[in-house]
Amino acid sequence: MIPSQFKYLRAQSVEEAITMLQETHGEGKILAGGHSLVPLLKFRITTPGTLVDITRIPGLKDVRIDGDRLLVGALKTHYEISKDETIIDNIPALAKTASETGDLQVRNYGTIGGNIVHGDPVADYPAIALALDAELKVEGEDGTEMLPVDGFALGPLITMMPENAIVTEVSFEIPPAHAEQTYLKYTHPATGYPLVGVAAIAGTGDDGTIDYIRVGVTGVSDVSYRARPVEEFLMGREPSEELIKEAAELAVEDAEMGSDLFASPEYREHITKIYVKRALYEVLK
Amino acid sequence: MNNELVNVSITLNGEKVSAEVEPRMLLIHFIRDIMNATGSHIGCDTSQCGNCTILVDGRSTKSCTVLAVHADETEVITVEGIGTTENLHPIQKAFWEEHGLQCGYCTPGAMMASIDFLSQNPDPTDDEIREGLDGIICRCTGYEFIVNAVRSAAKMMNDDSAVKGEV
Amino acid sequence: MEKMVGQRIKRKEDPKLITGNGMYLDDMKIPGLLHASIVRSPHPHANIVSIDKEKALKHPGVVAVYTGKDLEGKINPVPTSWKVPGMDLIETKQYPLAINTARYVGDGVAMVVADSKYTARDAAELIEVDYEVLPSIANQKEARKDGAPQIYDEVPGNVAFKYVAGEVTDEDLENAEVVMKGSYNTQRVAPSPMETRNSLAQYNPGSGDLKLYVGSQNPHIHRMVLSEVLNFPEHKLHVKVADMGGGFGGKIGVYPDEALVSYASMDLKRPVKWVETRNEHFQSANAGRDMMVDLELAGTKDGKITALRAVNHANIGAYLATFGPGNPTIDFGLMLSGAYKIEKAQCTTYGMYTNTMSVDSYRGAGKPEVTFMLERAVDDFARKINMDPIEVRRINFASKEEFPFTNAQGLIYDSGDYVKALDRAVEKSDYHALRQKQEELREEGRYIGIGISSYVELSGFGPSAVAGAIGFQGGIWENSTVRVHPGGTVTVYTGTSPHGQGHDTTFSQIVKDKLGIPYEDINFVFNDTRAVSMGWGTYGSRSLAVGGNAVGLATDKVVEKGRRIAAHLLEAEVEDIEFEEGVYSVRDDNSRRKTFQEIAKAANFAWSLPEGMEPGLEEQTFFDPSNFTYPFGTHIAVVEVDIETGEIEILRYIAVDDSGKIVNPTVAEGQILGGIAQGVGQALWEGVQYDEKGQLQSGSFMDYAMPKANFFPKIEMEFTETLSPVNQLGSKGVAESGTTGSIAAAANAVMDALAPLGVKHIELPLKPEKVWRAIQKGGAES
């Protein structure tokens, strides 16, 4: 398979990338790791006039802590995230997500920014990103803004991403130290994507009740989502096997299930509840 | 014009090479068709099979999912660059000794992925090897002898570095 | 010195393949090379109203565009090569490019030839085809119903053929103590060699020779059939196969594509290459299986099976593939009773045209399907009469004293010891402990299942007289020439076509043992119709049993001619010349000796040869075996089913196989392992999916789940060795056994796990969702 023709531009700075995008008059696309984009180019599902390569822009691979948030450069690869000490220390579930994204080779090239900006509901990161109130730092012609990941994707591959802008950083809330974290994935046998991926982070206070609970779900639905009804149900209560079971039943409320040759909407709903339950068992013991 | 050619310069198996190509040219085509290093193959077109796996700046990459121009100025190593018939790389030796290949089509990609995998995990369990080969599809072997080969290569490489460590 | 046959020898093939020095078809470049791209129908069934190729022709770099109409009268239809007598076959015409009507998604309608593959791909998009969409159908049983869309006017009811083998009457069933009915369907799968199909044609306008490189498991069959299709004389057509990245049956067929490329090369007088994309492979490479089988089984309460009656609706696609009609009728239909001594068996096969890609051989070709049917049914029968499935098998096996054993439909099995393989598998798996463990785990709410599959398969194709009797349009003997060079090194030619099976190595082992010369001094030539006089290729697990033995027999002839030369030079009687370890010597006088190398030189120089002997040391054999070979074995799979989600984990897999004499255990194990991956793959993950109208839904590895390394545990395997009496080595086929045995083993294990939940049957592949749904339904028929 062979992409159709396009023009290639290489940006050396964020500003240059924005200018280059402006000059394509809506025909441009950003090239980061390319592991979401190139397959679409080869299928000719997308036929951009111009690709703006941002991978040479310096400084987009940094990881740092800013108060209660962890900031990850948009060009950080899945492999780098899986091995980054700061990330492992603060959000191990993010490192786990990265280590289970794609396969060995894909993890070397794919980037967190590209993965999220793509708006693909079968990506792994949205689970943890939604759970931890992630925000995208978007730099564009009108300056810099922070876009919450929750609400960013509107449908498969349809996002709120403004034109002529690039995501330079992804910011995550750092959960409190006492909270347990996991990312639990049911891997689609063909694609390696999550049929369902559940990020769960939870902690209990001194009184034994749940004082921190976050659940993000990806893979199953048209848009990855945060399972707020589950969180609200559990918050402030004492965890038990029964309680978790009951909570997990709420895991698909408001979600629009997808469908493919491997799994119907009905089955997706079912396994989402099971995987949410299992993830909660794991973090609430 | 959309088909304005771009210059792509890479270090391919230690040698600096460059060519003017269309921006849409895939790295696998650049390596195979322009640079005549035909050891890496295309198996699936959709980034599942990893038969096109090469090392870009030391890390395994599916070269059918990378534009050649994207890999400009990188160091690329393909199967042709890891060893010769007279002086095989441990992974080559191991694939041969353990019957890790039949038709040989996926083998270069499988070996390149294995080299990267072992650099990340020099002493893996069998289960870890099977996970590590997640990005490779082989239709001939049922994988078991590939797993044996990777385990055997790990041992060879570890013994090797142990010897070097003593010096 | 220790014999090489039977040893674990590292493969000769490998040094080039592991260093990137393999030369696969797409690796080849020829000056002036053009590239082809084929435009395929996106509709399952449509009339071609018009094709506008002007834009494509104007595209820079495009050299030619062909449509079906352009080629009408210039290329003949591509025929099937298996016409079973008595099947009332209606063979329709498959033109290399559809002329008026496209009949499946992927049917070629135009071909672009351009100066680069990028240009060819771009230009293919510029061809505008106006279609009139027609009613269409994908399912073979639906296609037989009244009012179903008709794929051809001349084929009423879409029945391409009907074939009945054996006879079982209603009384045979009605009078039985136990009668059981079941449907045992094997879904359509894609062979999916990692290297897709391809061809490169190079016509020489000076010599009038056409050289065709093609992804083929049988270059001589390609030459024979394409010669007809192209109206091109066989002796001017040179078919070669480069290093090939797997076949698995998918490269047996002679396809329209290679005829098109050949035609274009002759027309344009330039070399033309075509390489299939993976998406095209799903559209237009022959698929495998797709048999829907309804079985009635009669037996006694104490476990004896007395009759089998099956109706097989075989989907053969929109056109008959090369071996298409033979797989369901012969390979499936005549093997109905498997390893068992069952008095009566009948198989009625309907070969059904549908708006799907053609179905041809895929690893096992009929045997995996019939084994799946039978072994699933045996387990169901065992459950019904409340008997251990091991016991039911034991009761019904043909015993080793009965060989050669004639099965219910008249096939004569060469040799076997089915109990031995079963016993070994039972022992190796610690079957009885597993059963106990199973009970214990059920108490804990965990569901493991133990699946058994005892198979026998017809392999080692075979005696040519039988080929004729069953309508196979060719011979199935094999040929080998052993050519000894003056220095004593050897080049061997044979008509088998290895592409990963390791013939170079295993056949060299055979030659080495006979000639006693260094292993490195033996070289093989395959896959070339000019170098190899004739041959029938690699499929049906025939290469070693037929081709390998041909090599051995030709080598024997060389040894004998050498013996006569040695006797002459040593002034002794031929009977007194011994030959061992590469040395001819006179019995009782070891000092009178000639090495094989000396004899090679003497033969080639011909200064002094026995009276009347022709010079040279080169012998050819045409080996036509007296029978097929029948490998067998027992596989046991152990799985755990997560009953909450339906996910299946394979905990253990035990395989005991008997392929007769094993030439190279490592290579044979490799064949079994690869075969098991494909069989288990069929049971659990793989499946080509069309919608009911024939729109292809699984067009890439993103939809079609190929087995990966982490899907399997370590396979525990061993061989028993029951020699075949029908060839010198005593070898049987090995390449298809793993697949043939494993589909039912895996499926039976899952059904065994779910039995306490009332689940009786789930269609393949056993995707977690289907398993979950079956559990939800419980005892209800699922």
Side-chain angles (χ1 to χ4, degrees):
Chain A
M1 287 198 306
I2 293 157
S4 50
Q5 292 178 336
F6 50 77
K7 190 172 163 181
Y8 170 86
L9 298 172
R10 186 179 294 163
Q12 301 296 346
S13 68
V14 173
E15 298 71 33
E16 193 185 9
I18 294 164
T19 311
M20 285 171 168
L21 280 170
Q22 283 171 329
E23 285 165 3
T24 68
H25 305 292
E27 295 283 307
K29 275 213 179 288
I30 299 272
L31 175 67
H35 271 48
S36 303
L37 180 63
V38 173
L40 297 182
L41 294 175
K42 288 169 73 180
F43 271 117
R44 302 193 176 196
I45 289 170
T46 178
T47 53
T50 302
L51 287 191
V52 177
D53 182 351
I54 61 165
T55 50
R56 314 299 162 114
I57 299 175
L60 298 187
K61 280 192 174 231
D62 297 343
V63 171
R64 58 203 172 88
I65 290 175
D66 182 7
D68 64 347
R69 296 191 74 88
L70 176 81
L71 313 180
V72 182
L75 290 183
K76 201 84 177 155
T77 64
H78 313 321
Y79 171 73
E80 289 162 346
I81 290 171
S82 74
K83 299 285 178 192
D84 188 280
E85 300 266 331
T86 307
I87 294 174
I88 293 170
D89 288 348
N90 289 279
I91 314 182
L94 174 58
K96 187 164 191 283
T97 301
S99 74
E100 294 182 17
T101 297
D103 53 45
L104 179 82
Q105 299 97 306
V106 168
R107 287 193 288 276
N108 286 331
Y109 234 82
T111 64
I112 184 168
N115 187 288
I116 297 177
V117 173
H118 199 53
D120 197 334
V122 299
D124 286 279
Y125 286 113
I128 186 74
L130 287 159
L132 294 179
D133 277 329
E135 291 177 346
L136 305 175
K137 184 176 178 188
V138 178
E139 300 189 45
E141 43 198 358
D142 303 325
T144 300
E145 57 178 325
M146 299 301 291
L147 278 184
V149 169
D150 203 352
F152 176 74
L154 305 171
L157 311 187
I158 305 164
T159 68
M160 295 284 286
M161 187 68 193
E163 262 192 27
N164 306 330
I166 68 171
V167 169
T168 54
E169 203 169 55
V170 187
S171 141
F172 296 85
E173 176 185 306
I174 300 172
H178 72 284
E180 296 287 331
Q181 312 185 9
T182 194
Y183 177 63
L184 195 60
K185 176 176 178 178
Y186 179 144
T187 305
H188 189 297
T191 60
Y193 296 140
L195 182 64
V196 62
V198 178
I201 303 113
T204 46
D206 295 338
D207 62 352
T209 64
I210 297 168
D211 64 356
Y212 186 92
I213 172 77
R214 300 299 179 80
V215 181
V217 178
T218 191
V220 280
S221 51
D222 286 350
V223 179
S224 309
Y225 62 96
R226 181 153 159 198
R228 284 209 170 76
V230 177
E231 297 175 2
E232 284 157 14
F233 181 84
L234 289 171
M235 192 67 183
R237 300 171 81 163
E238 207 169 312
S240 71
E241 208 164 298
E242 271 314 304
L243 187 80
I244 288 171
K245 243 185 216 170
E246 234 178 294
E249 286 298 312
L250 306 172
V252 294
E253 273 193 10
D254 307 328
E256 191 73 37
M257 290 292 130
S259 154
D260 70 354
L261 292 181
F262 185 68
S264 71
E266 198 185 346
Y267 181 62
R268 284 161 184 263
E269 282 197 3
H270 171 70
I271 56 159
T272 302
K273 291 176 191 171
I274 301 289
Y275 271 69
V276 165
K277 180 181 80 180
R278 291 178 182 180
L280 288 172
Y281 280 157
E282 210 180 311
V283 291
L284 288 167
K285 297 290 180 283
Chain B
M1 278 298 285
N2 270 346
N3 58 346
E4 216 170 279
L5 300 186
V6 289
N7 181 273
V8 175
S9 303
I10 59 172
T11 305
L12 178 59
N13 298 324
E15 195 188 331
K16 282 204 175 308
V17 298
S18 71
E20 304 281 319
V21 299
E22 285 190 81
R24 62 171 168 162
M25 176 168 278
L26 302 172
L27 181 55
I28 183 73
H29 289 147
F30 183 83
I31 291 166
R32 286 176 46 82
D33 300 344
I34 311 291
M35 296 305 158
N36 295 320
T38 54
S40 315
H41 304 127
I42 295 177
C44 74
D45 297 316
T46 53
S47 209
Q48 261 76 43
C49 80
N51 288 196
C52 61
T53 300
I54 60 174
L55 300 182
V56 176
D57 289 337
R59 295 257 84 98
S60 61
T61 300
K62 291 173 175 172
S63 61
C64 83
T65 308
V66 176
L67 299 171
V69 65
H70 201 186
D72 188 24
E73 295 165 1
T74 60
E75 188 171 336
V76 170
I77 298 175
T78 67
V79 65
E80 288 92 343
I82 58 171
T84 60
T85 334
E86 296 73 34
N87 186 18
L88 294 172
H89 185 282
I91 198 77
Q92 293 172 306
K93 228 182 263 180
F95 266 71
W96 190 11
E97 282 168 5
E98 300 293 337
H99 191 28
L101 65 149
Q102 290 181 26
C103 79
Y105 193 80
C106 77
T107 311
M111 292 193 302
M112 300 314 284
S114 300
I115 288 173
D116 185 22
F117 169 71
L118 289 175
S119 79
Q120 297 180 23
N121 186 350
D123 192 17
T125 64
D126 280 10
D127 283 348
E128 287 167 350
I129 295 171
R130 286 181 186 274
E131 289 297 331
L133 291 167
D134 200 21
I136 293 294
I137 296 178
C138 165
R139 191 56 153 171
C140 290
T141 61
Y143 301 102
E144 184 153 323
F145 287 171
I146 295 182
V147 173
N148 292 355
V150 176
R151 190 198 315 120
S152 158
K155 191 172 179 315
M156 271 189 249
M157 287 156 89
N158 291 339
D159 291 353
D160 220 28
S161 49
V163 171
K164 277 180 195 145
E166 280 167 21
V167 174
Chain C
M1 199 194 279
E2 208 178 4
K3 290 287 181 197
M4 254 198 159
V5 166
Q7 302 290 315
R8 295 180 181 274
I9 306 294
K10 276 200 297 184
R11 294 204 319 171
K12 278 180 148 179
E13 292 86 341
D14 293 353
K16 74 171 176 182
L17 300 176
I18 54 178
T19 52
N21 286 299
M23 183 56 71
Y24 298 85
L25 189 143
D26 196 25
D27 300 344
M28 289 191 281
K29 278 188 186 176
I30 296 177
L33 184 64
L34 298 171
H35 300 262
S37 177
I38 294 168
V39 179
R40 299 181 184 278
S41 169
H43 304 294
H45 198 190
N47 282 331
I48 300 162
V49 179
S50 65
I51 300 177
D52 185 352
K53 54 185 193 182
E54 286 313 306
K55 268 192 216 157
L57 279 169
K58 281 186 193 138
H59 191 73
V62 171
V63 177
V65 177
Y66 302 100
T67 67
K69 284 219 163 67
D70 296 335
L71 304 181
E72 205 171 355
K74 294 176 180 162
I75 315 185
N76 297 318
V78 180
T80 183
S81 295
W82 202 338
K83 304 171 184 182
V84 184
M87 64 164 30
D88 297 324
L89 183 70
I90 308 178
E91 184 179 9
T92 58
K93 289 187 165 54
Q94 180 181 24
Y95 289 97
L97 289 173
I99 297 172
N100 296 313
T101 308
R103 291 190 168 84
Y104 67 93
V105 171
D107 210 349
V109 296
M111 179 169 80
V112 180
V113 183
D115 60 6
S116 84
K117 60 187 167 204
Y118 279 57
T119 309
R121 172 69 183 84
D122 291 343
E125 254 183 17
L126 299 174
I127 293 176
E128 288 167 9
V129 187
D130 187 12
Y131 294 100
E132 177 200 353
V133 175
L134 299 171
S136 56
I137 192 153
N139 178 286
Q140 62 265 48
K141 275 191 174 173
E142 296 300 319
R144 218 180 126 217
K145 289 184 177 161
D146 287 343
Q150 293 298 292
I151 294 147
Y152 297 95
D153 293 341
E154 66 269 33
V155 189
N158 301 315
V159 179
F161 57 83
K162 180 186 174 187
Y163 185 77
V164 184
E167 192 186 1
V168 172
T169 63
D170 290 344
E171 290 77 59
D172 292 331
L173 296 169
E174 283 158 13
N175 296 337
E177 285 177 15
V178 184
V179 180
M180 198 191 79
K181 290 183 184 186
S183 293
Y184 303 99
N185 305 331
T186 40
Q187 82 280 22
R188 178 180 288 237
V189 289
S192 307
M194 294 319 299
E195 182 197 34
T196 53
R197 296 186 300 124
N198 46 33
S199 41
L200 193 171
Q202 187 180 19
Y203 178 67
N204 185 323
S207 67
D209 287 357
L210 175 65
K211 187 175 189 178
L212 175 69
Y213 285 93
V214 59
S216 170
Q217 297 174 227
N218 27 249
H220 289 86
I221 292 182
H222 261 84
R223 183 182 65 175
M224 186 175 75
V225 175
L226 284 173
S227 162
E228 245 184 83
V229 173
L230 296 166
N231 292 317
F232 193 87
E234 235 170 325
H235 68 297
K236 302 296 275 182
L237 179 54
H238 179 188
V239 178
K240 282 188 72 135
V241 182
D243 288 327
M244 192 163 96
F248 313 111
K251 293 174 184 169
I252 289 173
V254 179
Y255 290 90
D257 313 286
E258 43 245 32
L260 291 172
V261 169
S262 301
Y263 177 83
S265 178
M266 289 192 278
D267 188 44
L268 302 170
K269 301 182 173 50
R270 287 177 66 176
V272 181
K273 186 201 274 185
W274 168 77
V275 176
E276 187 182 56
T277 65
R278 182 58 61 182
N279 179 242
E280 271 184 302
H281 184 80
F282 280 106
Q283 292 184 28
S284 61
N286 291 333
R289 320 281 186 241
D290 209 348
M291 298 187 194
M292 302 182 75
V293 181
D294 297 296
L295 177 74
E296 296 166 284
L297 178 151
T300 64
K301 285 179 191 154
D302 56 2
K304 184 80 190 126
I305 301 169
T306 54
L308 297 169
R309 187 162 74 179
V311 177
N312 180 3
H313 282 82
N315 194 339
I316 50 119
Y319 304 100
L320 293 170
T322 303
F323 290 177
N327 296 325
T329 50
I330 304 301
D331 293 50
F332 182 102
L334 299 184
M335 289 300 294
L336 212 63
S337 55
Y340 307 114
K341 193 174 179 180
I342 298 172
E343 288 293 307
K344 294 186 162 191
Q346 177 185 320
C347 183
T348 304
T349 305
Y350 293 95
M352 300 302 303
Y353 282 120
T354 61
N355 294 108
T356 63
M357 181 54 202
S358 306
V359 177
D360 202 317
S361 311
Y362 166 57
R363 204 165 195 167
K367 283 95 67 178
E369 295 92 321
V370 78
T371 303
F372 170 74
M373 174 209 76
L374 184 59
E375 290 304 288
R376 279 281 298 107
V378 166
D379 262 30
D380 285 349
F381 176 59
R383 211 167 279 126
K384 190 168 177 117
I385 59 170
N386 203 17
M387 189 179 267
D388 190 293
I390 297 283
E391 277 319 299
V392 175
R393 286 175 171 84
R394 217 185 285 277
I395 288 169
N396 288 284
F397 275 154
S399 70
K400 74 172 176 187
E401 291 76 25
E402 291 172 287
F403 287 88
F405 170 78
T406 306
N407 83 359
Q409 284 150 307
L411 289 178
I412 300 167
Y413 299 173
D414 58 340
S415 65
D417 189 347
Y418 303 154
V419 172
K420 186 173 170 190
L422 177 77
D423 284 347
R424 278 305 301 144
V426 165
E427 198 179 320
K428 208 174 165 66
S429 63
D430 207 354
Y431 178 77
H432 299 289
L434 276 174
R435 283 285 175 214
Q436 209 176 336
K437 175 109 183 159
Q438 180 180 39
E439 282 305 314
E440 289 163 17
L441 287 173
R442 275 178 191 163
E443 300 290 311
E444 297 170 24
R446 287 178 61 189
Y447 290 82
I448 70 164
I450 304 153
I452 301 128
S453 168
S454 296
Y455 70 91
V456 58
E457 57 163 4
L458 144 157
S459 82
F461 275 45
S464 299
V466 175
I470 60 177
F472 182 89
Q473 303 297 303
I476 28 179
W477 46 267
E478 211 38 80
N479 144 65
S480 179
T481 296
V482 177
R483 179 172 299 165
V484 184
H485 307 299
T489 60
V490 169
T491 302
V492 188
Y493 301 78
T494 179
T496 60
S497 318
H499 41 278
Q501 295 87 345
H503 299 176
D504 227 325
T505 301
T506 51
F507 290 11
S508 290
Q509 290 176 252
I510 297 168
V511 175
K512 151 83 176 127
D513 279 353
K514 287 181 183 281
L515 294 184
I517 61 175
Y519 175 70
E520 299 72 34
D521 285 1
I522 304 159
N523 207 26
F524 269 83
V525 173
F526 310 94
N527 287 323
D528 186 330
T529 61
R530 285 226 164 139
V532 177
S533 60
M534 187 60 205
W536 297 98
T538 287
Y539 45 82
S541 299
R542 67 187 299 278
S543 294
L544 178 62
V546 190
N549 277 289
V551 168
L553 294 169
T555 311
D556 287 344
K557 282 190 179 176
V558 165
V559 170
E560 287 318 305
K561 182 168 181 182
R563 194 188 307 274
R564 287 190 286 136
I565 297 169
H568 172 76
L569 297 175
L570 295 168
E571 297 177 342
E573 293 302 316
V574 174
E575 303 78 55
D576 291 334
I577 301 293
E578 292 176 334
F579 182 60
E580 233 170 287
E581 304 299 336
V583 178
Y584 291 98
S585 61
V586 179
R587 198 188 321 270
D588 304 329
D589 185 0
N590 253 337
S591 64
R592 292 161 70 195
R593 60 208 304 270
K594 291 278 178 194
T595 64
F596 180 76
Q597 289 77 5
E598 287 170 317
I599 295 298
K601 187 173 175 182
N604 279 289
F605 281 24
W607 288 347
S608 171
L609 292 177
E611 183 75 32
M613 180 183 277
E614 291 178 359
L617 190 51
E618 169 170 332
E619 294 291 344
Q620 184 169 24
T621 292
F622 295 83
F623 173 58
D624 198 358
S626 59
N627 194 0
F628 297 93
T629 64
Y630 292 83
F632 59 89
T634 291
H635 289 195
I636 296 181
V638 186
V639 303
E640 177 164 6
V641 181
D642 179 335
I643 62 160
E644 258 189 332
T645 62
E647 288 170 280
I648 296 162
E649 187 189 357
I650 308 168
L651 302 176
R652 288 179 67 194
Y653 196 99
I654 296 94
V656 177
D657 297 280
D658 194 316
S659 302
K661 178 70 189 172
I662 300 291
V663 172
N664 184 328
T666 306
V667 169
E669 285 164 2
Q671 290 299 309
I672 295 289
L673 287 169
I676 290 172
Q678 290 181 6
V680 175
Q682 168 134 30
L684 302 186
W685 308 291
E686 297 180 40
V688 172
Q689 261 181 267
Y690 287 98
D691 72 9
E692 69 273 19
K693 289 187 168 169
Q695 188 53 247
L696 180 66
Q697 296 175 308
S698 51
S700 76
F701 287 161
M702 299 185 78
D703 303 302
Y704 187 94
M706 290 283 278
K708 295 183 194 150
N710 57 3
F711 292 12
F712 300 99
K714 182 176 171 53
I715 309 292
E716 305 160 53
M717 60 178 165
E718 70 176 54
F719 290 102
T720 57
E721 220 171 65
T722 307
L723 299 186
S724 171
V726 307
N727 60 59
Q728 189 185 47
L729 283 164
S731 293
K732 303 183 175 194
V734 68
E736 295 167 310
S737 301
T739 307
T740 298
S742 57
I743 306 175
N748 277 341
V750 175
M751 301 321 297
D752 183 59
L754 300 179
L757 302 172
V759 176
K760 292 192 174 68
H761 183 69
I762 306 172
E763 289 291 322
L764 302 184
L766 303 174
K767 288 187 190 177
E769 173 164 0
K770 286 194 245 178
V771 173
W772 170 69
R773 284 184 187 278
I775 295 168
Q776 299 306 300
K777 283 184 190 165
E781 275 304 317
S782 39

